[in-house]
């Protein structure tokens, strides 16, 4: 008796080789432009940040019109819904980036370079996850169930963190695994040396705090990819649209950070909203798997998903602003992460020599 191999489902995608090449080429060009825009460290003005943010919002919206006109309204709705989900999750990513940049006391002039490296790492990781996800979904129906379970578990964790108030707590640099890992192999200087990842201490080669914060951001990218890729696959099974929505959501993060860094602290209920969105998409994926096994099980239409997600975001934003206003009236305005731990960050980054004998002092 021989076991027959699993049937491979054809991937329904609008992504032709030419469209893939053009999209990846455009992403690379935009990253190069961003790289040159940040090559000279400088503080980002609000005018500059707003200008880039408008560009990076207008670009995906215009591209959605192309998808809608070229491939029909169903694909258009899938694209816009996926983009909205990814953009929502990217705002939560900004909270973590903000906390990391504050914990490492990153100078204002270097923040956008750290963010750019984080965005590049996120794009590469999500590209890998998207390819693996497409291959798995085309071969095994039960992968939809796995993705749904991942999102439901993540949603429950976000809800617990939001209820406990730990969803955006300050980062203790000395306890971060990524920092401890790097310090096992190389000493770390106390001072930044521009955007350099290596410097010299008494003639010995050492990592800079810039290298540590960049590595920490890249490590968080892995966690973000695990959440975001299944989330958008819950909206569309087209790997091209999954990549496009992820890329467009990530490309504008550098500028969006400087626009929202003050306003982010007011979105106190964002964790609840994201937990609801991930839980909803998780249920949608489970129902889709069940529909493939038992056709009588109903599915949630993509258009309905779009309205539900918009509704959750609107409610979350309104309740957050109301709660923040009440806190301000009581004189309990929460401190923004950017002012939380910056003064003591250098001592936090360089842990005691007793813990790590190979660390050197910058003095």
């Amino acid at each position: 008796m021989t076991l027959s191999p699993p049937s491979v489902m054809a991937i329904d995608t609008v992504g032709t080789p030419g469209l893939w090449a053009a999209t990846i080429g455009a992403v690379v060009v935009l990253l190069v432009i961003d790289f040159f825009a940040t090559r000279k460290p400088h503080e980002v003005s609000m005018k500059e940040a707003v200008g880039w943010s408008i560009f990076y919002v207008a670009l995906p919206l215009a591209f959605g019109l192309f998808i809608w006109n070229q491939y029909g309204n169903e694909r258009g709705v899938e694209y816009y819904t996926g983009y909205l989900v990814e953009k929502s999750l990217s705002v939560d990513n900004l909270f973590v980036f903000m906390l990391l940049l504050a914990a490492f006391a990153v100078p204002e002039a270097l923040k956008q370079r750290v963010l750019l490296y984080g965005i590049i790492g996120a794009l590469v990781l999500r590209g890998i996850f998207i390819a693996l996800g497409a291959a798995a979904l085309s071969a095994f129906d039960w992968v939809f169930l796995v993705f749904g379970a991942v999102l439901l578990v993540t949603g429950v964790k976000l809800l617990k963190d939001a209820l406990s108030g730990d969803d955006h707590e300050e980062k203790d640099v000395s306890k971060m695994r990524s920092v401890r890992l790097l310090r096992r192999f190389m000493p770390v200087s106390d001072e930044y040396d521009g955007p350099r990842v290596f410097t010299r201490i008494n003639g010995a080669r050492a990592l800079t705090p810039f290298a540590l914060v960049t590595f920490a951001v890249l490590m968080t990218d892995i966690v973000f990819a695990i959440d975001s890729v299944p989330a958008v696959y819950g909206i569309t099974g087209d790997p091209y649209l999954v990549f496009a929505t992820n890329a467009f959501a990530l490309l504008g993060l550098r500028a969006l950070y400087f626009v929202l860094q003050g306003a982010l602290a007011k979105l106190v209920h964002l964790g609840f909203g994201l937990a609801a969105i991930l839980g909803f998409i998780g249920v949608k994926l489970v129902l889709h798997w069940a529909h493939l096994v038992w056709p009588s099980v109903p599915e949630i239409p993509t258009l309905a998903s779009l309205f539900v997600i918009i509704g959750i975001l609107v409610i979350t934003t309104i309740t957050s602003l109301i709660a923040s206003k009440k806190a301000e009236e009581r004189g309990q305005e929460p401190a923004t992460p950017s002012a939380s731990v910056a003064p003591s960050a250098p001592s936090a980054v360089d842990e005691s020599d007793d813990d790590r004998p190979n660390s050197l002092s910058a003095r």
Side-chain angles (χ1 to χ4, degrees), residues 31 35 115-126 218 221:
L31 289 175
F35 186 84
L115 292 170
L116 178 60
Y117 287 158
I119 291 168
I120 293 173
L123 281 169
V124 173
L125 286 168
R126 293 190 190 190
L218 291 176
D221 285 338

Side-chain angles (χ1 to χ4, degrees), residues 178-179 181-193 196-201 204-212 215 349-350 360:
S178 57
V179 173
L181 175 64
L182 283 181
R183 290 182 61 96
R184 288 182 180 276
F185 296 99
M186 286 196 72
V188 180
S189 69
D190 287 331
E191 305 295 334
Y192 283 87
D193 189 9
R196 297 180 180 86
V197 296
F198 294 106
T199 189
R200 291 279 178 179
I201 303 178
R205 192 178 178 89
L207 291 170
T208 64
F210 183 88
L212 294 187
F215 187 70
V349 173
D350 269 43
L360 298 176

Side-chain angles (χ1 to χ4, degrees), residues 262-287:
L264 282 175
K266 296 184 181 296
L267 298 179
V268 293
H269 294 163
L270 180 63
F272 294 103
L274 292 179
I277 289 174
L278 292 181
F280 171 76
I281 299 175
V283 171
K284 185 176 187 296
L285 279 170
V286 171
L287 288 176

Side-chain angles (χ1 to χ4, degrees), residues 37 42-53 112 254-255 259:
H42 66 280
E43 292 189 26
V44 180
S45 66
M46 181 58 67
K47 181 180 179 181
E48 178 185 353
V50 170
W52 279 109
S53 294
Q112 57 178 341
R254 178 182 64 84
V259 174

